[in-house]
C-alpha cells in the first residue's frame, strides 16, 4: 500500500510539473503574439540591408586606409634604401664627400 501511495504522489508531482510547463508555454505564446504584432518585419529587413551596405563601405574604407598607410611606410624604407645604394655607387666610383671638405680651424676667431 505504501509503494502504491508513493507512486500516486510521484504521478501527482509529474502532473503538477506538466501544468506549470503548460502555463509557462501559454504566457510565452501570448508574449510572442504581441511581439509579432509590434514588429514590422519589412522595415527591419530594410534596416538590416542598409546596415550591411554601410558595413561593407566601412570595411572598404578601412582596407583603403590600411593600404595607404602601408604604402607610406614602404616609401620610408625606399628612401633609406636609395641612400644606401647612392652611397654604395659613390664608394665604387671613388667619390667621398668627407675628403672634399676642408678642415676648419680648431681655434676661436678673433
Amino acid at each position: 500500500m505504501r509503494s502504491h501511495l508513493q507512486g500516486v504522489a510521484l504521478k501527482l508531482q509529474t502532473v503538477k510539473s506538466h501544468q506549470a510547463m503548460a502555463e509557462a508555454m501559454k504566457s510565452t505564446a501570448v508574449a510572442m503574439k504581441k511581439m509579432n504584432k509590434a514588429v514590422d518585419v519589412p522595415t527591419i529587413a530594410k534596416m538590416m540591408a542598409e546596415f550591411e551596405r554601410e558595413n561593407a563601405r566601412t570595411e572598404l574604407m578601412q582596407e583603403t586606409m590600411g593600404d595607404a598607410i602601408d604604402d607610406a611606410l614602404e616609401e620610408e624604407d625606399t628612401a633609406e634604401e636609395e641612400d644606401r645604394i647612392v652611397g654604395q655607387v659613390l664608394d665604387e666610383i671613388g667619390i667621398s664627400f668627407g675628403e672634399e671638405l676642408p678642415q676648419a680651424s680648431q681655434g676661436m676667431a678673433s
Side-chain angles (χ1 to χ4, degrees), residues 39-55:
V39 174
D40 185 14
V41 176
T43 302
I44 290 177
K46 183 179 176 182
M47 286 172 35
M48 289 300 294
E50 185 177 337
F51 174 79
E52 287 178 17
R53 279 193 307 273
E54 291 299 322
N55 194 31

Side-chain angles (χ1 to χ4, degrees), residues 53-83:
R53 279 193 307 273
E54 291 299 322
N55 194 31
R57 180 183 284 161
T58 301
E59 287 177 6
L60 182 61
M61 284 269 228
Q62 287 176 341
E63 185 177 332
T64 303
M65 292 300 292
D67 290 346
I69 289 171
D70 289 345
D71 290 345
L73 294 177
E74 285 178 13
E75 289 179 13
E76 273 186 27
D77 294 339
T78 305
E80 291 173 3
E81 187 176 348
E82 288 174 0
D83 290 343

Side-chain angles (χ1 to χ4, degrees), residues 4-45:
H4 183 60
L5 288 175
Q6 286 179 343
V8 170
L10 183 59
K11 286 189 182 216
L12 284 174
Q13 184 64 35
T14 304
V15 169
K16 187 177 177 182
S17 296
H18 285 163
Q19 181 184 6
M21 181 62 77
E23 288 177 12
M25 290 176 70
K26 180 181 176 185
S27 62
T28 302
V30 169
M32 289 177 70
K33 284 180 185 178
K34 288 181 182 178
M35 286 302 296
N36 282 339
K37 288 179 183 177
V39 174
D40 185 14
V41 176
T43 302
I44 290 177

